[in-house]
Amino acid sequence: MKISTTIFIAAGLFLSTSALSQEKSLFKKGIVYENEDKTLKMKFGLRIQSLFSTNFRDYEVLDNPNLVDTYFGIRRGRLKFDGYAGSPKWEYKLELALGNRNLGSISEFTNMGAQLVLDAVVKYHINDKYTVWVGQTKLPGNRERVVSSQKLQFVDRNLANSRYNLDRDQGVQIRGKEMLFGTHFNWAVAASMGEGRNITANNFGGYEYTVHADWLPLGKFASKGDYSQSDLAREKKPKLAIGATYDRNNGAARVRSNQGNWIFDSTGTINSGVDLDNYIVDYMFKYNGWSSTGEFFHRTASQDPRVLDADGSVLEAYYIGQGVNAQVGYLFKSNWEVAGRYSAVFPDSRSDERGDYAQYTLGVSKYIYGHTVKIQSDVSYTEYSDIKYSDPLMFRVQLEVGF
């Protein structure tokens, strides 16, 4: 018994020491299996985001605020698998959501099943420049949405993104890389169902089409930094990415294009007679610890966004209007970062009776092992044009562990 216990302890110490010596490699590469003839490769990863948040009202009286609610729970819990099968030309990605805040609603449109699947996509590399994606994954939309939630500068994405992003859908994408006047130019086109992720029902109205372009006039970012917030690579030269997206959802069936509530008419059937157009421009800049991201959104409808009943009362409304986000941060050599963000939405009055509203956020982060192990906190103040909708002052702190 003593010998077996000693061996067990020694093995544990050895594995712990080995893990510590390889921790940076592990966090960078994940857990990888590859067979000898290199016809199969799988990388396994997981993520846990533990979130604590508080909301206060009467924040004008800061010495005696009224605490409305607190929350402590799992913001995100994920399992990730990616690699290739047969040859590196056939790449795949599968990501599953395990936290209840990520599962999405259960409805007749999802066959009454929980929305466990986030990404289930196969990528065929035609050559080094062109790739075809088939399956369910993020549409090529605004920069902050296509940046993984693991690699954000704040606890969560911005207010405008929550109203106007394109999110995930099921369909086909073609992506390419070009050189334009000696600079890097990336593009993507997509054709998708238009109803969002994990939908099992037949298509309503029409399909969704997306065109996206990225221009890197100052060269490539280190470590794909144009899709990771904060300048963890400490770019030695200024780097800039400029993106533009156009998206058309023909016969949209949900209030925010392929997201949000389903829209029913007065007979109780899906309303899909309105086309939604999304226009997005964004940028990302990094240099020597400084980073900045900005986005502008504009969504229009082909006709009145309101769906009315026989009496003229509003049953539901498509969410149209504009949104903007701008943020800047500085990463100290100690890997502490301070960042500020302004985000605002300017909805069409027929879409949101609250009118315009803006959110101001100050964040502080400590990157222990980059984005894989970090602690982030932020405080936000939300201001409505109509004070009766005044939101609380919000404080959040989150621990991220993942690879």
Side-chain angles (χ1 to χ4, degrees):
M1 176 66 70
K2 290 183 179 180
I3 294 176
S4 61
T5 302
T6 302
I7 293 173
F8 177 79
I9 294 173
L13 290 172
F14 171 78
L15 291 174
S16 299
T17 304
S18 176
L20 286 171
S21 66
Q22 299 179 27
E23 58 193 3
K24 292 185 179 179
S25 176
L26 173 64
F27 287 136
K28 183 178 181 180
K29 298 180 180 180
I31 299 174
V32 181
Y33 166 78
E34 186 172 15
N35 62 3
E36 292 183 1
D37 60 2
K38 297 188 182 300
T39 58
L40 177 66
K41 181 179 180 179
M42 184 182 75
K43 174 184 173 183
F44 167 72
L46 59 83
R47 290 178 53 205
I48 300 172
Q49 284 184 343
S50 298
L51 172 67
F52 173 76
S53 65
T54 63
N55 290 327
F56 297 92
R57 294 195 187 277
D58 298 329
Y59 44 78
E60 294 88 349
V61 186
L62 294 178
D63 59 340
N64 187 29
N66 177 27
L67 180 63
V68 175
D69 56 53
T70 62
Y71 170 81
F72 188 24
I74 304 303
R75 176 63 180 91
R76 291 179 177 90
R78 305 275 177 87
L79 291 179
K80 302 185 293 181
F81 306 85
D82 60 78
Y84 61 78
S87 82
K89 280 183 172 290
W90 292 95
E91 192 179 353
Y92 66 87
K93 178 183 179 182
L94 175 66
E95 183 166 352
L96 305 177
L98 303 182
N100 285 351
R101 289 187 61 170
N102 301 136
L103 291 181
S105 60
I106 295 174
S107 72
E108 59 185 295
F109 307 113
T110 62
N111 203 28
M112 303 307 294
Q115 298 187 51
L116 288 171
V117 179
L118 294 174
D119 293 299
V121 61
V122 175
K123 306 174 184 179
Y124 175 66
H125 297 269
I126 300 173
N127 52 40
D128 292 339
K129 294 177 63 176
Y130 307 116
T131 308
V132 179
W133 296 17
V134 181
Q136 176 175 290
T137 191
K138 294 176 182 178
L139 293 177
N142 65 296
R143 191 168 304 276
E144 185 165 87
R145 186 63 188 93
V146 295
V147 167
S148 169
S149 56
Q150 183 183 20
K151 298 181 178 181
L152 298 177
Q153 193 167 39
F154 292 88
V155 172
D156 218 329
R157 295 186 174 95
N158 69 77
L159 180 68
N161 173 88
S162 69
R163 303 299 189 271
Y164 296 106
N165 81 80
L166 302 183
D167 206 65
R168 290 177 167 90
D169 208 346
Q170 303 171 94
V172 179
Q173 300 183 24
I174 302 175
R175 294 175 175 245
K177 302 176 182 179
E178 314 285 351
M179 292 298 293
L180 183 65
F181 304 114
T183 60
H184 294 277
F185 178 81
N186 304 325
W187 57 268
V189 295
S192 55
M193 290 287 286
E195 276 82 49
R197 64 185 178 97
N198 297 314
I199 303 303
T200 59
N202 292 331
N203 179 260
F204 297 102
Y207 293 98
E208 185 170 2
Y209 303 95
T210 312
V211 179
H212 175 80
D214 261 338
W215 181 40
L216 282 65
L218 303 179
K220 289 185 177 181
F221 289 66
S223 303
K224 299 181 180 178
D226 47 331
Y227 286 98
S228 173
Q229 294 184 347
S230 305
D231 186 17
L232 295 176
R234 302 185 187 279
E235 297 284 355
K236 294 180 174 58
K237 295 181 180 180
K239 296 295 171 64
L240 174 67
I242 300 173
T245 304
Y246 169 70
D247 175 88
R248 171 79 173 222
N249 195 338
N250 292 320
R254 303 177 74 170
V255 293
R256 291 182 284 115
S257 187
N258 59 20
Q259 302 173 77
N261 295 335
W262 295 83
I263 292 193
F264 296 89
D265 62 22
S266 57
T267 66
T269 58
I270 287 289
N271 181 85
S272 57
V274 177
D275 303 329
L276 297 181
D277 291 298
N278 293 276
Y279 306 86
I280 306 170
V281 292
D282 59 59
Y283 79 89
M284 177 175 282
F285 174 82
K286 291 184 178 182
Y287 175 56
N288 195 29
W290 287 97
S291 60
S292 179
T293 302
E295 299 173 311
F296 173 76
F297 305 83
H298 181 59
R299 180 183 294 148
T300 63
S302 59
Q303 59 190 64
D304 192 327
R306 298 170 298 179
V307 177
L308 310 177
D309 64 13
D311 299 325
S313 300
V314 178
L315 294 173
E316 191 62 88
Y318 292 94
Y319 197 94
I320 61 174
Q322 295 81 42
V324 65
N325 177 68
Q327 60 193 63
V328 62
Y330 180 70
L331 180 70
F332 294 91
K333 292 183 178 180
S334 60
N335 284 331
W336 282 91
E337 183 183 51
V338 177
R341 179 169 73 188
Y342 167 77
S343 184
V345 294
F346 311 97
D348 185 291
S349 59
R350 297 168 294 178
S351 298
D352 193 335
E353 64 180 4
R354 293 175 293 181
D356 304 343
Y357 47 110
Q359 190 173 78
Y360 307 85
T361 303
L362 177 65
V364 177
S365 301
K366 170 60 176 179
Y367 299 96
I368 301 170
Y369 293 109
H371 282 296
T372 57
V373 180
K374 60 182 178 179
I375 299 174
Q376 294 181 295
S377 65
D378 59 34
V379 59
S380 296
Y381 166 74
T382 306
E383 181 179 45
Y384 286 93
S385 56
D386 190 335
I387 193 63
K388 71 179 180 180
Y389 294 108
S390 181
D391 257 14
L393 189 71
M394 177 177 65
F395 169 74
R396 303 180 293 189
V397 59
Q398 182 168 265
L399 170 64
E400 164 94 35
V401 175
F403 57 88

